[in-house]
Amino acid sequence: MPMIARLILRAMLFTLAMIAAPQVQAACTRTPATTTTFAPASSYDIRAGSVATVAAPSSFGCSGTAIVILSSNNATATVNSTNNFTLRNAAGDAIAYRLSADSAGTKAFTQGGSINYFDPALLALLGILNGGNFTPTMYAAITNTPNISAGTYTDTITVNWNWNVCHLLNVAGLLCLIGESGSGTTVMTVTLTVGKDCRISAPNLSFNSAPLASQFASVTQSVAVDCTKDATYSVAFTNGNSGSARPWRAMSDGAGHGLQYNIYQADGVTIWDQTSALPGGLPGTGALVPAQMQVYVARVNPAQATPPAGRYTDTVSVVITF
């Protein structure tokens, strides 16, 4: 009879412990697919290394319930890149990038490598655990400065998540009473849109001086242009301050007097304005210092009456369309 009483007592204590335990809901979730998008940039932004690091959308996290720190906890991401951490476009141009657990890139992923976000050093570095909220992070950053063509650059990252998270310990603090384990895959597309851009060098034009309008010599000069690798472009000149290039542009002395002149294509005959834009001739090379020379001829109207002596100026812009 005493033996039976002891067995009943133990069963009652166990039942009471189960009733007293708080209800904790498992709350870790994974997102099957995400897209990480860099801000659009020109090819020259790439060359300058000025593309900002971008945070990837969260693909795994726990929220809504307490998380207990145990050495057995883990939330491990194993990463594989289709292009070995290289963004590529349809033309085959490539931009290397880094994927890391922190924005500074000190905890970078390698091909097939894993990072456990419950590593104490990483938890302290990232501050990603706040009571019941746990949100691992990933950051993408461009790591080289190639000369590339315009286009959409992509890579596909496969993230295999494995997790084992404790939500509740026993009274002694030694045993996890309620835990959660799981695994799953996230496919992340990394994208960067690279746009066209151009560089130009346009030195000032001077006719020097002459006593008569008919005595100004023609000037042959060039503007240097280059654009994004493989990009086509055209070149034109604006009308200047007089508002018209036909039949003449006009310089002014600021006192109401004008000196007629014009800018022509290399043939010295065709007026070069925005109605007669001229193709650049060669596709862009992406050079940082433009070297594709666009030759023009400038001439003062020799048939005009000579205006009063003075300094005559005009402002004309070079327009590159690409």
Side-chain angles (χ1 to χ4, degrees):
M1 186 69 180
M3 178 68 70
I4 294 174
R6 283 196 295 272
L7 287 174
I8 292 172
L9 179 59
R10 287 175 182 171
M12 289 176 64
L13 288 173
F14 179 75
T15 301
L16 288 171
M18 291 298 292
I19 293 172
Q23 297 298 306
V24 179
Q25 299 296 319
C28 295
T29 58
R30 172 194 55 84
T31 303
T34 63
T35 299
T36 298
T37 305
F38 287 94
S42 76
S43 62
Y44 288 103
D45 293 330
I46 302 295
R47 297 292 298 273
S50 60
V51 180
T53 297
V54 61
S58 177
S59 62
F60 172 77
C62 304
S63 62
T65 185
I67 296 176
V68 179
I69 299 297
L70 287 179
S71 60
S72 60
N73 281 0
N74 73 80
T76 301
T78 302
V79 166
N80 285 278
S81 161
T82 299
N83 297 329
N84 197 23
F85 300 106
T86 302
L87 299 169
R88 295 186 181 276
N89 72 351
D93 286 348
I95 312 168
Y97 73 100
R98 177 187 67 230
L99 189 68
S100 60
D102 65 309
S103 59
T106 59
K107 299 290 185 179
F109 287 96
T110 58
Q111 185 75 314
S114 300
I115 290 179
N116 178 15
Y117 282 88
F118 268 105
D119 180 305
L122 196 56
L123 284 176
L125 174 66
L126 300 179
I128 56 177
L129 178 59
N130 180 17
N133 296 315
F134 173 71
T135 308
T137 54
M138 290 185 185
Y139 296 87
I142 301 301
T143 57
N144 70 335
T145 56
N147 181 18
I148 55 171
S149 58
T152 300
Y153 287 73
T154 62
D155 186 26
T156 301
I157 296 290
T158 301
V159 184
N160 294 310
W161 287 102
N162 286 274
W163 63 91
N164 181 30
V165 180
C166 181
H167 296 290
L168 180 66
L169 290 175
N170 66 353
V171 176
L174 301 175
L175 180 65
C176 183
L177 292 180
I178 300 179
E180 178 180 0
S181 297
S183 63
T185 299
T186 294
V187 176
M188 179 170 67
T189 302
V190 184
T191 301
L192 169 61
T193 300
V194 176
K196 302 174 185 177
D197 200 359
C198 293
R199 294 287 179 91
I200 184 169
S201 175
N204 290 334
L205 165 66
S206 175
F207 288 104
N208 295 315
S209 60
L212 298 173
S214 60
Q215 293 181 344
F216 282 101
S218 296
V219 176
T220 299
Q221 200 161 282
S222 299
V223 294
V225 180
D226 210 332
C227 293
T228 296
K229 176 186 170 186
D230 299 332
T232 59
Y233 62 92
S234 63
V235 183
F237 292 85
T238 60
N239 292 335
N241 293 335
S242 67
S244 177
R246 297 173 184 267
W248 297 100
R249 293 176 169 91
M251 293 178 278
S252 171
D253 66 352
H257 306 108
L259 181 65
Q260 295 175 339
Y261 78 103
N262 227 328
I263 298 172
Y264 304 88
Q265 295 177 10
D267 61 10
V269 175
T270 306
I271 294 174
W272 203 345
D273 59 8
Q274 289 179 268
T275 67
S276 58
L278 193 65
L282 295 172
T285 69
L288 295 175
V289 178
Q292 295 184 351
M293 309 308 292
Q294 311 298 322
V295 179
Y296 65 89
V297 177
R299 185 181 301 117
V300 171
N301 178 9
Q304 67 186 305
T306 300
R311 184 173 185 272
Y312 290 79
T313 63
D314 191 19
T315 301
V316 173
S317 299
V318 184
V319 179
I320 310 300
T321 304
F322 51 90

